[in-house]
Amino acid sequence: MKNIKIYNSKVLFLLSFIMLALVGCERDLSDDAVPATFSTIGDIFTDNFVAMGTDFYLPFADSKLDAFSVDDEEGFESSASYRVDVPNADNPNGNYAGAILRVDGAGRDLSGYDALTFYAKASQGVNLGEVGFGLDFLENKYQVTASNLSIGTNWTKYTIPIPDASLLSEERGVFWYSTGTQNTGGSGYTVWFDEMKFEKLGTVAQPRPKILNGQDQFLETFNGSVLPIGGLTQTFNLASGLDQVVAAAPGYFQFTSSNTSVATVNDLGVVTVVGPSATDPDTGEFIPTVITATLDGVVAEGSLSLVSLGPFTEAPVPTQSPENVISLFSDAYTNVPVDYYNGFFNGDGQTTQGGAPPTNVGGGEVINYTNLNFVGIGTFLNVQPIDATQMTHLHVDINVQEAIDSGDFIRLQLLNGVQTSNEISGSRTIPGTELAQNEWRSFDIPLGEFSGLSTRDALGLLFFISDSTISNIYVDNIYYYKEVVDPSPNVDDSAATQVELPIGFESSLTYNFVGFEGADTAVESNPDQSGINPTATVMRSTKTVGAQFFAGTALELDAQVDFSTSQKFRMKVWSPKSGIPIKVRFENAGNTVGIELDSNTTTMNEWEELEWDFSDLNTSASFVRVVVFFEFIPGTPGDGSTYYFDDLKILE
Amino acid sequence: MKKVSIITCSIILGSVFLFTSCSTDENQTVTTFDNLVKSDEFNSVSAEVPDSNMWNFDIGNGAEQGIPGWGNNELQYYTDRPENVIVEDGMLKITAIQESFMGSGYTSARLQTKDKFEKKYGRFEARIKLPWSQGLWPAFWMLGQNSDDVIWPQCGEIDIMENRGQEPTIINGSAHGPGYSAGEAVTKAYELTGDRFDTGFHVFGIEWGENYINYYVDDVLYNQITPDDVSGEWVFDQPFYIILNVAVGGNYVGSPNENSVFPQTMYVDYVRIYE
């Protein structure tokens, strides 16, 4: 409602200006035209508010709304000041103080000033979070932010320089601040401001603007990339001889591209790559396009040199049905909330850049990790960890942007129960031989291959780890999915002459098996001849109360398993629990060689067919025993649950 | 003896902390010197080097003169390279550079007129835009012509202008003599309001006559020093020569820090001497 009112008055003002102009048409040319001007009042709060109108205090929506008051006792050489009571971190009404002071009415002409100044003191020495001006909750076009001003307990004058005052001919956002208790251990404090005003000091000098924090960055990218230029600051030397750095909005800068047929840059400092870079005919190397900026005519330190490799080939479009997918990052699915796509664990030696935010290339979002050594996608801080118990695979598409050397790899690591006493993790390494330079490679990794990840009900971190062997990758379509196995035909082994795969327990042969470590096993009638398994006879495995978590059933085979044409093992299972891992292990006669994988149940109290894909394991040994472990979770003893399995086979 | 006196008299621009009172201002002698007897307008378009008929270079870090750090623990190595001193755009530019050179971490330049232009009494002024940053120490100053023959500060030193780079609004004018030198010199600061010395040109000068030295910035006369103000012998009755330099670091100004910006240039539009 307030906003509407304000806009109306603005419209009215414009109308009156237009009418003036119309009237002006009747004047002689020699008459001086008087341009519209705005109030040049610099004062904001001296002993009280100055010319701010009525509704000028606009707190941040999630701050403690009433943190501000006018103090009638404290003041700098006066008895009035602008008082901010920063709440304790656990205050239910808001854990920080923040507001803008916006002129209720037409903006001010601040072009004759060079700084916002104020006196401030605090109830204890603090670093004030952020303070500045130009924030108006409208365009915020000329926002200025000074961070971490050190405020002591005595009145001291502070100077926040204006990056380029000539632009501030109509500014309504004359003051803003936001400060919490991050630096006080959660304890609230009081800050007093007084003599808040814009001044022409004449001593604000030696401007040194920067973009990209003064760095000269280099980037290889593609047509369609959208790259916001950040790290925008202006630094002035003050009369004290000390520098004051402020973050300055893009509106203060004039951005330039050295070649607009490759990349354009708009007023907000957002670069759009529009065409491929040319190559130098002599050297064959790409000619970079350089993005630079000036502020009030001064060349900013820092630049972005980019090379566009041309059209970006997007990752293959995923084909999994959405109802079987939990997506972390994909344009094809609705993604679950994540804490971040790059945790920047710099204190732990992380060098990886990118992912925050994902880049936009050619209309689709993609993550570009550079300087990769390791990087994590987090889902454990402020979002729900991912329950992937029903999922069977992790999918990820990776496009390596460099030559791949022998020994290069990317290791995926999943952590469950992050920062809890039950934190566990499992890893799966993608060797460099399965990756390709400048080409997408898709991976569908059975979650059972993340050895050690015995539960996945609260996945909190997915790491990409290269140990710097590979440093620049695009990543897309990161999601978990449930592979829906089309049930294979029931096994009729009634005529079998020896116990060998496939096995349906329908023959009169003697099955040589054992339940161990607390598992009780027998060949029995199918208790649930419905659904996908109407056959008569199945194998039971009961994990008795108190059985070892590694209790299971071993079945001896009379002939070795033939993995020569397929490495996919299938089995029908019946479980009273959904989402528990079933480990299948093949062993040679002496159990000197064994391979094993997990697959999770996705239903309960009904037959389902699961798949264990041993393609990535060495299946060359003479395996003559198959061992089945239900709910193989370290530390989880048997609870008396009864499981059934049937139709063991290598998929044709 | 002669060499020793050179060494000692070169210890100059010592740290000054004393601020004299303004009481003599009310009775100060004001004399008008308006007959231009010597000037360098630095307007040469052909030669980029300072006029050798007027200027000598002091080269090195002071070690050759027996006073490494020029007596003040200064950090710069003075050269006559065009990177450090050049006449162009109608100005003399003395540039302090952060670089490793002959064992020093900075280079700069120092020009003086010893044996080429020396004068007793008159109006000595220069129009200068100062460098800035913590650790910069630009100066426009004079030493007595017998600096080679007597021990400093017997020769006398008149600092028309010296500045600490971290004090962009303040310059100091001083006089050093026997009994009142270095930290005990007679000195006074002048502070600009609403302006600074590194963003535009300002005129720094003295009017010097028998028994007085008047100090001014632009059109503001801010101090007068007379024999009554000094606690020792008045030694300002002989010809003096002129020095222009930009020092880096040292006792007076402190070292540059991580926020210091290099290179830094002192721009001298002209030096004029009237009588």
Side-chain angles (χ1 to χ4, degrees):
Chain A
M1 196 58 205
K2 274 177 201 158
N3 277 348
I4 290 167
K5 208 167 150 188
I6 289 161
Y7 279 125
N8 282 344
S9 61
K10 207 171 196 174
V11 170
L12 276 175
F13 171 79
L14 284 172
L15 281 174
S16 60
F17 185 76
I18 291 165
M19 289 179 72
L20 259 177
L22 290 172
V23 171
C25 292
E26 311 216 343
R27 296 180 302 178
D28 289 341
L29 284 173
S30 59
D31 286 353
D32 286 336
V34 181
T37 56
F38 295 89
S39 166
T40 57
I41 291 173
D43 290 356
I44 301 162
F45 182 99
T46 51
D47 290 332
N48 205 331
F49 290 99
V50 180
M52 292 294 292
T54 307
D55 293 324
F56 56 82
Y57 172 73
L58 303 175
F60 290 111
D62 57 345
S63 71
K64 188 165 183 292
L65 303 180
D66 60 354
F68 146 71
S69 62
V70 173
D71 193 319
D72 292 327
E73 293 178 358
E74 289 283 351
F76 173 71
E77 295 178 353
S78 70
S79 59
S81 60
Y82 184 104
R83 174 176 173 144
V84 178
D85 288 295
V86 180
N88 289 342
D90 58 359
N91 191 309
N93 297 322
N95 61 10
Y96 73 102
I100 70 168
L101 300 184
R102 185 176 73 185
V103 177
D104 186 8
R108 295 183 181 182
D109 181 356
L110 302 175
S111 58
Y113 301 106
D114 56 19
L116 166 71
T117 66
F118 54 82
Y119 284 80
K121 71 169 191 172
S123 55
Q124 64 179 89
V126 294
N127 285 326
L128 196 68
E130 295 173 314
V131 63
F133 54 90
L135 192 59
D136 57 12
F137 290 170
L138 300 169
E139 283 186 272
N140 306 330
K141 189 172 182 184
Y142 296 120
Q143 183 177 348
V144 164
T145 307
S147 297
N148 292 316
L149 280 194
S150 178
I151 310 284
T153 54
N154 286 324
W155 286 110
T156 304
K157 187 173 183 177
Y158 295 87
T159 299
I160 313 296
I162 303 175
D164 178 2
S166 69
L167 298 169
L168 303 186
S169 57
E170 187 190 358
E171 182 59 48
R172 294 179 63 201
V174 291
F175 194 79
W176 79 275
Y177 57 91
S178 173
T179 189
T181 56
Q182 289 87 346
N183 298 318
T184 58
S187 298
Y189 52 91
T190 301
V191 183
W192 291 268
F193 298 99
D194 202 357
E195 298 299 314
M196 300 148 63
K197 63 178 72 167
F198 289 92
E199 285 193 82
K200 175 71 174 180
L201 296 171
T203 52
V204 175
Q206 310 300 352
R208 281 154 287 156
K210 291 180 182 175
I211 64 173
L212 298 168
N213 293 313
Q215 296 176 331
D216 293 317
Q217 295 188 356
F218 185 85
L219 183 69
E220 267 189 6
T221 183
F222 298 91
N223 294 358
S225 278
V226 177
L227 311 159
I229 301 286
L232 307 179
T233 65
Q234 171 69 301
T235 302
F236 282 106
N237 192 256
L238 305 181
S240 62
L242 300 176
D243 286 343
Q244 178 64 54
V245 182
V246 295
Y252 286 104
F253 291 81
Q254 292 76 50
F255 296 93
T256 307
S257 166
S258 66
N259 185 348
T260 54
S261 67
V262 173
T264 61
V265 58
N266 68 11
D267 291 344
L268 295 175
V270 178
V271 177
T272 302
V273 181
V274 296
S277 294
T279 50
D280 185 314
D282 296 330
T283 65
E285 294 183 357
F286 283 109
I287 301 168
T289 295
V290 185
I291 310 296
T292 54
T294 61
L295 198 169
D296 195 14
V298 180
V299 175
E301 191 181 341
S303 64
L304 173 66
S305 297
L306 64 88
V307 161
S308 171
L309 302 176
F312 184 68
T313 306
E314 300 210 31
V317 177
T319 55
Q320 297 295 330
S321 179
E323 65 263 25
N324 296 325
V325 168
I326 299 174
S327 176
L328 287 174
F329 181 79
S330 174
D331 290 330
Y333 303 110
T334 302
N335 299 319
V336 297
V338 301
D339 292 314
Y340 46 73
Y341 292 111
N342 184 343
F344 290 106
F345 298 156
N346 300 336
D348 296 326
Q350 183 186 326
T351 60
T352 311
Q353 300 295 311
T359 49
N360 188 314
V361 183
E365 285 211 319
V366 64
I367 292 173
N368 182 206
Y369 291 130
T370 55
N371 290 335
L372 176 68
N373 60 347
F374 66 87
V375 64
I377 298 175
T379 49
F380 67 101
L381 287 174
N382 301 310
V383 303
Q384 196 67 30
I386 291 169
D387 181 354
T389 51
Q390 307 291 321
M391 302 293 112
T392 59
H393 289 75
L394 170 66
H395 178 95
V396 59
D397 296 325
I398 299 175
N399 187 331
V400 178
Q401 295 296 299
E402 64 194 36
I404 298 166
D405 300 321
S406 157
D408 286 2
F409 66 90
I410 292 172
R411 184 165 64 246
L412 305 178
Q413 185 181 31
L414 286 169
L415 272 66
N416 199 70
V418 174
Q419 291 181 357
T420 71
S421 57
N422 297 320
E423 180 176 304
I424 55 170
S425 72
S427 299
R428 162 66 154 79
T429 298
I430 299 170
T433 50
E434 296 181 13
L435 296 161
Q437 182 178 8
N438 292 326
E439 286 182 34
W440 285 105
R441 286 289 184 269
S442 296
F443 298 91
D444 292 282
I445 300 170
L447 289 168
E449 293 186 12
F450 287 82
S451 53
L453 190 75
S454 50
T455 57
R456 48 181 190 258
D457 59 346
L459 294 175
L461 275 168
L462 164 58
F463 279 106
F464 294 80
I465 304 162
S466 76
D467 291 349
S468 302
T469 60
I470 292 172
S471 67
N472 188 343
I473 59 173
Y474 281 87
V475 182
D476 204 353
N477 298 319
I478 308 166
Y479 57 86
Y480 303 96
Y481 68 95
K482 176 169 77 175
E483 183 177 58
V484 180
V485 175
D486 287 335
S488 54
N490 292 105
V491 175
D492 179 4
D493 59 351
S494 55
T497 57
Q498 60 177 355
V499 179
E500 62 179 329
L501 297 183
I503 297 174
F505 302 111
E506 304 295 334
S507 79
S508 56
L509 294 169
T510 298
Y511 294 94
N512 186 7
F513 60 87
V514 62
F516 57 87
E517 300 292 354
D520 177 64
T521 299
V523 174
E524 295 184 352
S525 297
N526 182 352
D528 181 8
Q529 286 180 277
S530 67
I532 62 169
N533 191 14
T535 65
T537 313
V538 298
M539 179 164 270
R540 173 180 63 80
S541 181
T542 301
K543 206 165 174 183
T544 59
V545 175
Q548 296 283 357
F549 74 88
F550 48 86
T553 296
L555 174 64
E556 301 294 331
L557 306 177
D558 297 331
Q560 74 176 71
V561 180
D562 179 8
F563 280 117
S564 59
T565 55
S566 168
Q567 295 79 43
K568 290 177 177 173
F569 174 73
R570 288 280 188 93
M571 187 165 75
K572 291 186 175 67
V573 300
W574 192 101
S575 164
K577 299 181 193 176
S578 176
I580 57 158
I582 301 172
K583 185 184 295 296
V584 169
R585 175 177 169 87
F586 290 98
E587 296 174 351
N588 67 354
N591 193 22
T592 55
V593 179
I595 55 175
E596 59 188 37
L597 278 180
D598 287 352
S599 187
N600 274 24
T601 61
T602 66
T603 63
M604 57 183 167
N605 299 327
E606 65 176 332
W607 286 101
E608 68 174 320
E609 185 162 324
L610 297 180
E611 182 174 286
W612 290 256
D613 184 353
F614 289 91
S615 304
D616 293 321
L617 301 180
N618 185 345
T619 56
S620 62
S622 298
F623 298 114
V624 291
R625 187 180 306 114
V626 56
V627 190
V628 182
F629 308 80
F630 288 90
E631 200 174 20
F632 187 98
I633 300 175
T636 301
D639 61 2
S641 294
T642 295
Y643 306 89
Y644 300 91
F645 59 101
D646 196 8
D647 291 358
L648 295 68
K649 69 176 76 167
I650 301 298
L651 194 66
E652 295 294 321
Chain B
M1 184 61 197
K2 190 174 181 182
K3 187 158 189 179
V4 170
S5 63
I6 291 171
I7 291 162
T8 48
C9 226
S10 297
I11 302 172
I12 41 72
L13 287 178
S15 304
V16 281
F17 298 104
L18 272 185
F19 285 69
T20 57
S21 81
C22 297
S23 55
T24 55
D25 288 1
E26 290 143 27
N27 302 312
Q28 65 197 5
T29 307
V30 178
T31 313
T32 305
F33 301 94
D34 50 12
N35 178 28
L36 184 66
V37 294
K38 183 75 176 177
S39 77
D40 194 335
E41 303 290 329
F42 304 111
N43 281 339
S44 166
V45 289
S46 55
E48 294 185 332
V49 294
D51 179 2
S52 60
N53 293 316
M54 181 161 177
W55 300 102
N56 306 301
F57 290 107
D58 286 329
I59 303 292
N61 63 3
E64 200 171 297
Q65 291 78 359
I67 44 169
W70 298 99
N72 294 300
N73 295 316
E74 296 164 33
L75 304 175
Q76 77 288 342
Y77 191 99
Y78 286 131
T79 85
D80 59 359
R81 302 175 306 161
E83 299 96 297
N84 295 114
V85 54
I86 192 167
V87 175
E88 63 179 2
D89 306 327
M91 288 176 281
L92 169 70
K93 301 177 183 177
I94 299 178
T95 299
I97 301 169
Q98 184 170 22
E99 60 177 333
S100 289
F101 189 87
M102 302 293 283
S104 295
Y106 303 87
T107 57
S108 185
R110 167 159 143 168
L111 286 68
Q112 38 88 348
T113 63
K114 189 165 62 180
D115 300 331
K116 290 182 176 172
F117 178 78
E118 297 168 340
K119 179 164 172 46
K120 182 173 86 169
Y121 304 153
R123 174 150 67 103
F124 297 71
E125 68 176 31
R127 185 168 180 269
I128 301 173
K129 185 166 92 166
L130 296 186
W132 60 285
S133 264
Q134 164 70 44
L136 271 294
W137 183 9
F140 169 40
W141 53 295
M142 304 202 296
L143 281 174
Q145 69 167 10
N146 62 341
S147 63
D148 290 357
D149 305 321
V150 298
I151 295 173
W152 187 88
Q154 184 64 41
C155 57
E157 173 181 325
I158 300 171
D159 301 331
I160 303 170
M161 179 283 298
E162 60 181 331
N163 162 261
R164 297 178 178 92
Q166 60 268 35
E167 297 176 348
T169 64
I170 297 170
I171 61 96
N172 290 277
S174 311
H176 302 249
Y180 51 101
S181 65
E184 306 296 321
V186 182
T187 186
K188 186 174 181 184
Y190 176 77
E191 179 165 14
L192 281 180
T193 54
D195 199 0
R196 16 194 305 158
F197 288 109
D198 59 337
T199 52
F201 285 88
H202 295 270
V203 175
F204 304 95
I206 56 164
E207 296 164 330
W208 169 32
E210 190 172 0
N211 291 331
Y212 71 92
I213 307 169
N214 293 337
Y215 289 79
Y216 59 92
V217 173
D218 299 324
D219 57 354
V220 179
L221 188 64
Y222 69 94
N223 197 21
Q224 180 174 68
I225 298 172
T226 70
D228 290 344
D229 300 312
V230 305
S231 53
E233 182 188 354
W234 182 258
V235 290
F236 307 102
D237 292 314
Q238 63 160 332
F240 274 55
Y241 60 88
I242 295 168
I243 308 171
L244 286 165
N245 72 308
V246 177
V248 180
N251 303 340
Y252 178 76
V253 68
S255 291
N257 63 22
E258 69 278 8
N259 293 323
S260 298
V261 175
F262 285 92
Q264 286 287 342
T265 300
M266 177 165 83
Y267 301 87
V268 184
D269 185 23
Y270 59 74
V271 176
R272 293 174 183 165
I273 300 92
Y274 302 83
E275 63 177 20

